[in-house]
Every structure is written in structure tokens, then in C-alpha cells.
């Protein structure tokens, strides 16, 4: 048995932003624990504080600076505190972050998450480190510290090659890098051995998986696609559910839809952002598809999987968006009937083309449109939830309801958050639940013992 690492103190990680950031944080927590750090009780007493940041919207970025100001004050009183900024703000700002917050020890972009240990060793030698250069993301053998005991994120492709005119992600996360299918399956087999029941394959643009990997089939198509990957991992014993996100309508194929319908472990839930319901706005965004193309994707899904839930992302107030174009977005939401839509008012991001365009809308107009949009999304979600009333749904137990310790919480295969009384079903149990109450974004019911599988 190898020697235990020296105890270095406690750590605290605060994560902002997307699922990719959450997965990166779990990996960095695993590295810190391998180094001898232990989870801290709060960020105001930890010996190492790491902010894993998001720059997709300005308010997320400003929140990071607010947090950093408090930690900088701590560091002036306690020079042994190690202060790290990781993620997209770190990549975007680089050395400018050090000028703004000179108390920082380490600034590192998302491509460097698996180098955290090496970078911290440089910090321990007294260096102030900035790691934002282009970096090939190697297979990382560190075991992440998973926040859930039943569901796990699995990165399958890093970076993004798209050039949406509003989005800073390609600049901060780098070019697409797909992991090899064998390595992905090996990680999933390890998760199954640890008792995980559900995995979510992650990518900034997951439908692009494999296009940077070599290999052509005899039929003349790419050998490595998301469809092929789903087939490759489907047989892993112990994994009961497979999800994937985030999809791009430009690359979402009928072959992928058919695979999802045919493979029993793939859940009936699709997250496919559409961003706008107007073709001229989509063209200005450089999204590479039309509303008609998006509509055909949803129609095909509902032919193959009538009960599938559909979620999406949408932006209102894009430069030059007219009221009529905004109404087209509302019309599409009403027509499709989404189960959930993540909404945002357009936020100009540094270095993106749209940030400098004429026709920027006032905050007043953006807020008004966002409020109208959110009201429609809530009504649509409530109508979609109503279909569950009286049904029996398979729910995977993810833990206790933090607001009611007498209840368990988990998700249906269609990704609806569901609460039901705790009758001793353990973490990771698949429980049949009769739905007795529906709300816009969650369900409640009663379990029909015994659990389906455990």
C-alpha cells in the first residue's frame, strides 16, 4: 500500500455555470484530495479556495469578482491562504485577473483542470501562476470526487468549434477534443463498479463527438459519432440510465434519434437549444439551422418516442431583434410545448462579434421580453407536467429532499424532479412512484414498493 499524502489543509470549491464546469470541479476536487487536502466546511475558513468560473453572461462574471474581493481581504490577514480562479473567466482574463486581484496564486483556464496538482506545486515554490495557453487535454486518471452517489457526469468531448456570434465558449474552452471511446467505456465501467446507476455524457457540443478522431466506415461515414458511442457503452453492466448534453440542432441526426429510441438505457429526454424562433435572428447568430429544421427534429423525436421530454435554451433581446421576431420565439415555444426552457436576456460578451453590433436593445426591453417569455415557459411546463398525474413513473433516488428530510428526491427517465416519502429506499434505487401532484417543474407522489432494481 502506497504512502498517504501529507495533509495540506482544507479546500473549498465554488462552481459557477454549466454542467461542464460541475464535472471539472469534481475532477479538481479529486486531484486536491489525492494531494492531501480535505473538504472544508465553508469558503471563509478553508486553506485553499477555488472559484470555477463562468463567463457566458456578465452577471456570472461580476459575481465572481464580488466573491474574490472577500477572499482577497482574507488573504491579506492570512498569507498562507491559497486562492485559485479556474474556468472561463480565468481563461478570458488571464494576467489581467492578477492585476485586478494581486492576491491570487493561480489563474487557470478550463483546459488545464487536470493539471491542477502540477500547477499548485509551482505555487508552493512561491510562484504566481497563469495557465491559459492552448493545451491538449490528456486522459486524466484522477478519480473525481463525485457530488452524487447515483448519477455521474462523463466528459466525452471538450471545447467547441462553432462560431455563434454571441458566444465566448470557443475562445475560452478551446478547440474540440474528443476522448477515445475505449477510455470513455473504461470510465463508465469504473462508475458502475462503484454503484452509479446513471451517467450523463457531456460536451459543449456533444453531437460533434468524434469528428476530430480518425476513421471512416466502409459505408463512407465517420467511424466515431455520438450514435456509435451510445451503442459502444450501452452494454455496461450496472448502468441503468444514459443521458447526454448539450446538443446542437445543426448536427442532430435521424440516426441518433433512432438509436435513442432503440437503446433501452437511453432516457427519453433531449436538451436541444434553439436560441430563437426567427430565421433571420438565427442567421445573425450563425447557428447554422432554420426553425423548420428544428421543428423537423422535434417531430421525428415525437414519432419515435411520443412521451419524450424536450428542454431547450433561448436568448431574447439579441441585437436588432424586433418585437415581431421575439413573437416568433413565443410562437415556437407554444407550438412545441417544451418541458423546460432555460431563458436568458442577451448579454454582450467581450471579443464576440455581436457585442459590437449596432441595434443593441435597452435593458428595459430585454427585461420585459424575458418576463413575458418566462411566464409562457412556466405555463407550458405546467401543462406538460399535468400529463404525469396518476401515472406510475420510474424514479432514480438521488438523495433526501433538502427542504423535507422525510422525503426522497430523484428524477423520472424524462428528467422531471420527483419527491416521495422516504420508506427506506436507498440511494440509487429505482422506485416506481405513482404521481399524485404536479407542478411546473416537479412532481410528487407515493412509492409503490418494492423498488424496481437496486
Amino acid at each position: 500500500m502506497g504512502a498517504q499524502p501529507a495533509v495540506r489543509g482544507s479546500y473549498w470549491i465554488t462552481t459557477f455555470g454549466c454542467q461542464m464546469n460541475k464535472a471539472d470541479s469534481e475532477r479538481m476536487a479529486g486531484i486536491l484530495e489525492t494531494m492531501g487536502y480535505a473538504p472544508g466546511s465553508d469558503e471563509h475558513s478553508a486553506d485553499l479556495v477555488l472559484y470555477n468560473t463562468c463567463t457566458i453572461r456578465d452577471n456570472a462574471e461580476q459575481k465572481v469578482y464580488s466573491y474574490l474581493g472577500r477572499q482577497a481581504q482574507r488573504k491579506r490577514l492570512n498569507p498562507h491562504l491559497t486562492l485559485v480562479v479556474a474556468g472561463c473567466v480565468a481563461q478570458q482574463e488571464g494576467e489581467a485577473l492578477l492585476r485586478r486581484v494581486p492576491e491570487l496564486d493561480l489563474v487557470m483556464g478550463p483546459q488545464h483542470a487536470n493539471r491542477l496538482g502540477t500547477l499548485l506545486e509551482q505555487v508552493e515554490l512561491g510562484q504566481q501562476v497563469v495557465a491559459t495557453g492552448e493545451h491538449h487535454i490528456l486522459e486524466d486518471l484522477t478519480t473525481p470526487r463525485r457530488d452524487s452517489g447515483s448519477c455521474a457526469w462523463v466528459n466525452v468531448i471538450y471545447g467547441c468549434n462553432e462560431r455563434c456570434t454571441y458566444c465566448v465558449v470557443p475562445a475560452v474552452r478551446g478547440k474540440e477534443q474528443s476522448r477515445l471511446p475505449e477510455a470513455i467505456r473504461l470510465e463508465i465501467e469504473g462508475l458502475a463498479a462503484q454503484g452509479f446507476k446513471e451517467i450523463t455524457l457531456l460536451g459543449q457540443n456533444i453531437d460533434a463527438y468524434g469528428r476530430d478522431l480518425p476513421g471512416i466506415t466502409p459505408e463512407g461515414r465517420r467511424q466515431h459519432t455520438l450514435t456509435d458511442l451510445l451503442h459502444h457503452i450501452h452494454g455496461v453492466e450496472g448502468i441503468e440510465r444514459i443521458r447526454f448534453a448539450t446538443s446542437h440542432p445543426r448536427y442532430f441526426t435521424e440516426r441518433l434519434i433512432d438509436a435513442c429510441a432503440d437503446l433501452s438505457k437511453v432516457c427519453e429526454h433531449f436538451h436541444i437549444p434553439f436560441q430563437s424562433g426567427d430565421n433571420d435572428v438565427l442567421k445573425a447568430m450563425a447557428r447554422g439551422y432554420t426553425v423548420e429544421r428544428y421543428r423537423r427534429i422535434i417531430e421525428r423525436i415525437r414519432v419515435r418516442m411520443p412521451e419524450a421530454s424536450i428542454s431547450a435554451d433561448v436568448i431574447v433581446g439579441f441585437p436588432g431583434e424586433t418585437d415581431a421576431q421575439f413573437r416568433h420565439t413565443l410562437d415556437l415555444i407554444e407550438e412545441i410545448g417544451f418541458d423546460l426552457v432555460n431563458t436568458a436576456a442577451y448579454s454582450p460578451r467581450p471579443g464576440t462579434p455581436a457585442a459590437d453590433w449596432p441595434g443593441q436593445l435597452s435593458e428595459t426591453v430585454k427585461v420585459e421580453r424575458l418576463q413575458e417569455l418566462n411566464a409562457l415557459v412556466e405555463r407550458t411546463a405546467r401543462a406538460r407536467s399535468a400529463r404525469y398525474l396518476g401515472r406510475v413513473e420510474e424514479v432514480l433516488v438521488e438523495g433526501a429532499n433538502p427542504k423535507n428530510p422525510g422525503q426522497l428526491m430523484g428524477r423520472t427517465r424524462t428528467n422531471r424532479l420527483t419527491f416521495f416519502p422516504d420508506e427506506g429506499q436507498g440511494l440509487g434505487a429505482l422506485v416506481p412512484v405513482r404521481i399524485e401532484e404536479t407542478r411546473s417543474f416537479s412532481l410528487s407522489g407515493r412509492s409503490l414498493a418494492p423498488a424496481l432494481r437496486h
Side-chain angles (χ1 to χ4, degrees):
M1 204 168 142
Q4 292 296 309
V7 176
R8 277 182 159 94
S10 62
Y11 75 89
W12 183 269
I13 297 178
T14 299
T15 307
F16 302 87
C18 67
Q19 294 168 326
M20 295 289 285
N21 265 16
K22 291 171 186 170
D24 287 345
S25 288
E26 289 185 347
R27 198 162 291 282
M28 289 189 287
I31 291 170
L32 290 172
E33 293 189 11
T34 301
M35 293 178 71
Y37 285 94
S41 54
D42 66 73
E43 66 184 295
H44 304 298
S45 61
D47 300 299
L48 181 149
V49 175
L50 186 154
Y51 294 116
N52 193 9
T53 59
C54 172
T55 185
I56 201 112
R57 284 190 275 281
D58 184 60
N59 59 352
E61 197 172 315
Q62 295 313 313
K63 193 184 287 187
V64 172
Y65 283 115
S66 164
Y67 280 57
L68 276 175
R70 295 195 291 271
Q71 291 298 336
Q73 287 180 329
R74 265 190 77 204
K75 176 119 183 179
R76 288 178 212 125
L77 299 172
N78 173 19
H80 298 295
L81 167 66
T82 302
L83 199 50
V84 181
V85 176
C88 296
V89 171
Q91 182 68 32
Q92 179 180 280
E93 299 295 310
E95 292 191 5
L97 252 175
L98 294 186
R99 291 193 290 273
R100 187 162 173 176
V101 187
E103 293 81 5
L104 281 169
D105 295 291
L106 170 59
V107 174
M108 51 182 280
Q111 293 183 51
H112 296 265
N114 61 354
R115 296 185 62 225
L116 177 60
T118 305
L119 297 172
L120 284 175
E121 286 171 3
Q122 294 177 37
V123 169
E124 289 172 358
L125 293 172
Q127 299 177 35
Q128 198 177 32
V129 181
V130 176
T132 54
E134 190 77 18
H135 177 64
H136 180 66
I137 301 169
L138 302 170
E139 283 298 332
D140 184 3
L141 301 178
T142 304
T143 302
R145 183 182 188 272
R146 306 282 180 179
D147 289 335
S148 166
S150 55
C151 309
W153 314 112
V154 176
N155 281 320
V156 302
I157 179 171
Y158 300 96
C160 182
N161 289 0
E162 300 303 300
R163 286 292 178 264
C164 302
T165 55
Y166 56 84
C167 186
V168 75
V169 165
V172 294
R173 283 200 169 264
K175 292 183 293 194
E176 290 169 0
Q177 297 181 45
S178 300
R179 295 177 63 197
L180 293 171
E182 296 77 14
I184 294 166
R185 179 165 174 134
L186 199 62
E187 181 178 349
I188 294 170
E189 287 171 348
L191 290 167
Q194 294 170 53
F196 287 90
K197 294 291 190 292
E198 177 180 299
I199 53 128
T200 300
L201 307 178
L202 286 184
Q204 218 71 50
N205 173 11
I206 198 162
D207 306 288
Y209 173 77
R211 64 181 177 184
D212 58 321
L213 297 177
I216 300 293
T217 69
E219 298 78 36
R221 64 170 179 80
R222 279 193 293 121
Q223 190 170 358
H224 301 294
T225 66
L226 178 59
T227 305
D228 298 313
L229 182 63
L230 289 174
H231 282 283
H232 184 66
I233 66 170
H234 191 264
V236 174
E237 199 76 32
I239 298 298
E240 303 284 354
R241 292 179 171 186
I242 299 170
R243 304 184 189 275
F244 58 88
T246 294
S247 292
H248 194 303
R250 188 193 296 205
Y251 306 105
F252 206 95
T253 64
E254 280 199 18
R255 185 169 172 262
L256 175 59
I257 295 168
D258 290 342
C260 294
D262 294 339
L263 296 171
S264 61
K265 292 181 182 180
V266 178
C267 291
E268 298 79 9
H269 169 241
F270 298 89
H271 184 71
I272 316 173
F274 67 93
Q275 305 301 8
S276 172
D278 183 87
N279 282 336
D280 288 336
V281 175
L282 287 174
K283 188 172 182 181
M285 289 177 166
R287 289 290 287 168
Y289 56 87
T290 61
V291 173
E292 291 73 26
R293 157 96 174 130
Y294 188 88
R295 195 180 281 122
R296 286 195 299 273
I297 291 169
I298 306 304
E299 286 170 356
R300 178 64 180 174
I301 289 171
R302 288 186 167 154
V303 165
R304 291 301 320 265
M305 289 161 281
E307 293 303 319
S309 66
I310 312 289
S311 60
D313 300 338
V314 65
I315 297 169
V316 296
F318 189 74
E321 181 189 63
T322 65
D323 186 67
Q325 290 171 329
F326 168 61
R327 299 285 148 201
H328 292 160
T329 294
L330 297 180
D331 291 344
L332 186 65
I333 289 173
E334 194 123 43
E335 174 196 334
I336 286 179
F338 289 93
D339 294 77
L340 173 70
V341 181
N342 300 320
T343 63
Y346 170 73
S347 176
R349 306 314 298 130
T352 59
D356 299 322
W357 287 353
Q360 302 286 331
L361 303 187
S362 70
E363 290 304 310
T364 303
V365 169
K366 288 194 276 191
V367 168
E368 285 173 356
R369 289 183 183 177
L370 187 61
Q371 288 174 341
E372 187 175 354
L373 176 70
N374 285 341
L376 174 60
V377 166
E378 199 270 340
R379 287 198 305 275
T380 304
R382 193 186 319 128
R384 291 290 290 168
S385 267
R387 76 191 198 274
Y388 291 101
L389 192 63
R391 285 191 191 172
V392 176
E393 293 289 322
E394 176 194 279
V395 178
L396 175 65
V397 178
E398 296 179 23
N401 178 356
K403 296 180 180 176
N404 182 349
Q407 285 186 330
L408 294 174
M409 56 179 269
R411 293 180 186 273
T412 65
R413 285 177 60 96
T414 52
N415 208 41
R416 266 289 189 269
L417 187 62
T418 305
F419 304 98
F420 58 96
D422 185 349
E423 295 169 352
Q425 304 95 334
L427 185 71
L430 286 157
V431 181
V433 176
R434 186 177 299 284
I435 306 304
E436 297 174 340
E437 185 182 350
T438 67
R439 293 169 294 278
S440 295
F441 305 111
S442 65
L443 311 169
S444 295
R446 190 160 297 279
S447 65
L448 305 178
L452 298 177
R453 290 182 295 283
H454 198 295

